[in-house]
Amino acid sequence: MSHDSENRKLPLISIVVPCYNEEAVFPFLRQELVNLADSLKPRYRSEFVLIDDGSRDSTWDQMLTFASDDHRVAAISLSRNFGHQAALTCGYDLARGDAVVTLDADLQDSPEVVLDMVSEWEKGADVVFAVRTQREGESAFKIWTARVFYRLLQFISQVKAPPDAGDFRLMSSRSVDALRKLRETHRYLRGMAGWLGFRTAIVKYRRKPRSLGTTKWPLLRMVRFAMDAIVSFSMLPLRLAYMMAGIVALLFSGYLLYALIRYIFYSEGFVTGWSSLIAAIIVLGVLNLLCLGIIGEYIGRIYEQSKDRPLYLVRQIWGRPDPSSESGH
């Protein structure tokens, strides 16, 4: 039996990396991926699925060079910037591995942790979450808001993903097959991975600071992402709207009862003021707008989903991994 035939029987690990304007860090990413593949030998084959999410720098050119030099690499260019979650979805759709690992291109998530994730997968876990014990190089505000958000989401929804777990994870082929069936437009993949219900495991690690390039998660984008997560996995905002309306109605009913009693028993000199009326109008008006805004968030997502547009469009695919290649050349 030939060496290639024997090699093809080994389990395949797919490494999916979405990239957006990562020209500064890409040479280091390339070396880290090659080192990771070497670490997985001789028990596993490797393939690299790299997605260029509409970069405006030389990221795509460097991907092409990598794909030309290493036959384990598939370079996929999307037609424009569809966002991190859509790029990850593209990677999941194209990966062929027995296990699929997703990590960011900025190398804050150490590729060495993948070996621990593979070990948990070998023990029977279908989804292995990498949980951050420390987030080096990030502001106290970002760390605090992230901690509050993850715990709030756990409380108000049925998301089973552990707090402080990002998109650095391993998924078995059967869990990836199940994930591919979920085609909602506004995606929160870490919650969707937990929603699947397959057996999960946790690997803890320290997240390193970004050494090169700039963050792709400014405050406004994080807020939008948090809204997608909450609206996708919880009905509590809708219920909260009528709960607040009920609380305000009770408060003003109590005030009306007080005014009525005072009018009946202390009518002399009793003058109704306009301030309470204005306050009631303002409070009820704000509540109406708040409730309409919450309802609008859900209706807007229904509208987007009803269009049934593709989650992403591929402009070009260069190379199709040949994981049987021992050297990658």
Side-chain angles (χ1 to χ4, degrees):
M1 184 178 294
S2 68
H3 180 72
D4 283 350
S5 297
E6 292 179 357
N7 199 33
R8 289 180 187 277
K9 293 182 178 180
L10 296 175
L12 174 63
I13 306 294
S14 297
I15 312 296
V16 173
V17 187
C19 302
Y20 178 61
N21 293 340
E22 297 288 1
E23 64 178 2
V25 76
F26 193 88
F28 302 94
L29 171 67
R30 171 175 175 169
Q31 187 58 52
E32 288 290 336
L33 292 177
V34 172
N35 293 342
L36 174 58
D38 291 340
S39 300
L40 292 170
K41 293 176 182 177
R43 298 174 59 193
Y44 297 101
R45 299 172 293 148
S46 302
E47 70 169 3
F48 309 125
V49 182
L50 309 180
I51 302 95
D52 175 38
D53 190 22
S55 297
R56 297 186 297 271
D57 57 10
S58 66
T59 300
W60 175 241
D61 294 332
Q62 294 188 60
M63 280 189 186
L64 291 178
T65 301
F66 191 14
S68 298
D69 294 341
D70 194 320
H71 296 297
R72 296 170 297 185
V73 177
I76 297 97
S77 174
L78 303 186
S79 62
R80 62 171 176 82
N81 178 249
F82 285 88
H84 183 262
Q85 301 294 285
L88 278 177
T89 300
C90 175
Y92 279 125
D93 289 344
L94 296 177
R96 304 178 299 181
D98 299 286
V100 179
V101 176
T102 53
L103 56 87
D104 290 339
D106 55 20
L107 295 178
Q108 288 185 265
D109 301 326
S110 301
E112 297 88 357
V113 181
V114 173
L115 301 178
D116 297 328
M117 300 166 78
V118 170
S119 178
E120 292 296 329
W121 171 58
E122 291 174 335
K123 297 175 185 177
D126 284 293
V127 181
V128 183
F129 292 101
V131 174
R132 297 163 288 202
T133 57
Q134 288 185 314
R135 302 169 65 135
E136 299 176 7
E138 297 184 5
S139 66
F141 173 77
K142 185 174 181 180
I143 293 173
W144 180 80
T145 52
R147 183 177 292 114
V148 170
F149 162 70
Y150 286 125
R151 282 149 184 80
L152 174 65
L153 186 62
Q154 287 279 85
F155 177 73
I156 68 175
S157 72
Q158 296 181 345
V159 173
K160 301 303 181 184
D164 302 315
D167 286 310
F168 185 25
R169 62 181 164 268
L170 178 148
M171 298 183 68
S172 67
S173 57
R174 65 177 175 180
S175 63
V176 170
D177 288 341
L179 184 67
R180 287 171 181 154
K181 298 176 183 178
L182 310 182
R183 308 306 287 184
E184 53 220 61
T185 302
H186 296 272
R187 305 178 73 75
Y188 180 64
L189 283 169
R190 63 196 71 170
M192 295 163 68
W195 178 89
L196 295 174
F198 289 102
R199 180 180 173 184
T200 63
I202 291 175
V203 170
K204 296 183 178 181
Y205 76 107
R206 295 176 59 181
R207 194 167 198 240
K208 298 184 294 187
R210 174 186 273 271
S211 57
L212 294 169
T214 58
T215 179
K216 307 306 185 296
W217 289 95
L219 180 60
L220 183 59
R221 186 175 180 185
M222 288 193 299
V223 171
R224 288 200 302 264
F225 187 56
M227 290 179 62
D228 285 341
I230 292 172
V231 174
S232 296
F233 286 92
S234 177
M235 296 292 289
L236 184 63
L238 286 175
R239 295 176 181 135
L240 190 62
Y242 64 72
M243 287 169 60
M244 289 188 296
I247 291 171
V248 172
L250 286 174
L251 291 176
F252 276 95
S253 296
Y255 177 78
L256 289 174
L257 181 61
Y258 160 76
L260 180 62
I261 292 174
R262 184 172 179 182
Y263 177 76
I264 294 174
F265 295 101
Y266 307 97
S267 59
E268 185 178 351
F270 179 75
V271 179
T272 56
W274 62 271
S275 57
S276 59
L277 178 62
I278 294 300
I281 292 173
I282 291 174
V283 171
L284 292 175
V286 169
L287 272 178
N288 280 330
L289 292 175
L290 176 63
C291 294
L292 286 174
I294 292 173
I295 294 170
E297 285 292 330
Y298 284 88
I299 293 177
R301 282 160 171 74
I302 295 172
Y303 172 64
E304 290 291 334
Q305 192 68 38
S306 68
K307 296 178 183 178
D308 198 26
R309 291 177 178 173
L311 300 176
Y312 58 86
L313 294 173
V314 175
R315 180 177 66 89
Q316 183 180 358
I317 297 179
W318 184 268
R320 179 67 260 187
D322 180 13
S324 66
S325 173
E326 275 292 317
S327 63
H329 296 285

